[in-house]
Amino acid sequence: MSGSVFIVGLGPGSIDLLTPAASRALQAATDLVGYGPYIDRIPETLFSQCRHASGNRVEIDRAQHALTLAAEGRKVAVVSGGDPGVFAMAAAVFEAIEAGNPAWRDLDIRVEPGITAMLAAAAEVGAPLGADFCAISLSDNLKSWDTIERRLRAAAEGDFVISLYNPASRARPHQLGQAFELLRTIKSPETVVLFVRKAGTPEAGVIVSTLAEVDSALADMRTLVIIGAEATRLIPRTGLRPWIYTPRAEQEGAR
Amino acid sequence: MSGSVFIVGLGPGSIDLLTPAASRALQAATDLVGYGPYIDRIPETLFSQCRHASGNRVEIDRAQHALTLAAEGRKVAVVSGGDPGVFAMAAAVFEAIEAGNPAWRDLDIRVEPGITAMLAAAAEVGAPLGADFCAISLSDNLKSWDTIERRLRAAAEGDFVISLYNPASRARPHQLGQAFELLRTIKSPETVVLFVRKAGTPEAGVIVSTLAEVDSALADMRTLVIIGAEATRLIPRTGLRPWIYTPRAEQEGAR
């Protein structure tokens, strides 16, 4: 089969954070497939391919559509915000391949990595991921809340820096608050908590708080939440937001 | 003060994975500061700045040197492989700022994110990070082996996909084997284990194994190790390496 599916990471939003490899994969495509808002990010002046935009939560339909087009010989780019392998389209495409037409396994499939939200958010505030860290999606559309709580507990007990993707949506307004409640039973109340909204774009916004005082209602689907490790700390600056970083070394009594 | 320090992620190696923002930060710099092999990656034909290469394990000296140059009014780019915030130079620069000349806090400091090794490695093999995941550096230069074991145990108990950075070096040949031994006490022997060497470059190499059978001697400092979650699985292909991915949904008895 001559068709292909390139699963392309668009990064956080700004074209400045789109890699040349991803850009070239978009240029080479005959068809762009993706969630509407991500498709809309791709400037039509630069990329004039046939566009197939779809809604949220239809990842498998979208993946099957892309694979079907590729099996007809089209060169398809499936686009994701951030990195396609992190809570995005790559896993959905491979799920569709495994369950679908065996001939799809012979297609030219490639993943083009991108800057995931966690890296862009960290860059906005300093170096909060400077030591060991983890990433958890708070969405329970596809996994149970029990699993999410099990992972939050493990992450707290291992003293990982924790990045929370999909922290809140209209359908799930209370889960971030529940996550903070669980973490408060294990972690210090002074633990640094960061809300970074629209990281890696000119409209980026940051809230610096603590586990004791954080207001979970201030997060939405464009927010990436970072919860510090024990050693995560602030560097105060005059007239500016503090830098936040996690030292590489363990420090006794650093707080 | 008019000087600046931009802490720039070079990505996995190929210029194709260097973001336009990072490329522009290098262009704008008067001085490039970094570990020799990373400095050597930057084509002199494109970037002709004054180069200050240094050895490994002198991150704080290098950070102080960059900040000193910036305080003299220079525009310094501190370069890191991958993403500067992930086991790289950003944390070292903020450590130096916190402990150093208070005037350094007024410098224009920025972090330019990059594609970290874990994302490039995942893209080579499919979508192994498709569910919740963590990243642990196996280097005990700056933290105790006890802490590393505590985090490995927590990651296994939380059923995270685990990425291991710095899995082995000449000075630390046995730690990866010890990590696998610990993980075998908690995780299934059939757990997928991936060694991805030089991910995101034309010389990329992949070994697909299991926790029971993996040979830790095959890893070196250019290897990123990924240990699957319970649900991580293979899609066999005729005549080609299988795809490896972690489904987004929990699956009962999926193995």
Side-chain angles (χ1 to χ4, degrees), chain A residues 16 18 20-21 24 85 95 98 105 132-133 135 137 143-144 147 150-151 157-158 233 236 245 248 250, chain B residues 16 18 20-21 24 95 98 105 132-133 135 137 143-144 147 150-151 157-159 233 236 245 248 250:
Chain A
D16 264 7
L18 182 72
R24 210 171 35 243
E95 285 168 35
E98 189 178 24
R105 298 182 190 203
D132 303 319
F133 61 92
S137 168
K143 63 188 169 189
S144 70
T147 295
R150 170 188 174 194
R151 292 197 176 138
E157 284 169 356
R233 46 204 287 110
Y245 82 103
R248 301 161 305 150
E250 295 175 289
Chain B
D16 264 6
L18 182 73
R24 210 172 34 243
E95 286 169 37
E98 189 178 24
R105 300 183 188 202
D132 303 321
F133 62 92
S137 169
K143 64 187 170 190
S144 69
T147 295
R150 170 187 173 194
R151 292 197 176 138
E157 283 169 355
D159 194 30
R233 47 204 286 111
Y245 82 103
R248 302 160 305 150
E250 293 175 290

Side-chain angles (χ1 to χ4, degrees), chain A residues 110-129:
Chain A
R110 294 187 206 178
V111 180
E112 283 296 348
I115 304 289
T116 183
M118 167 171 66
L119 302 184
E124 296 281 355
V125 300
L129 308 178

Side-chain angles (χ1 to χ4, degrees), chain A residues 2 22 27 65 84 120 141 162 178 204 220 243:
Chain A
S2 62
Q27 291 285 4
H65 181 50
N141 292 338
I162 303 170
Q178 288 173 36
D220 66 14
W243 289 118

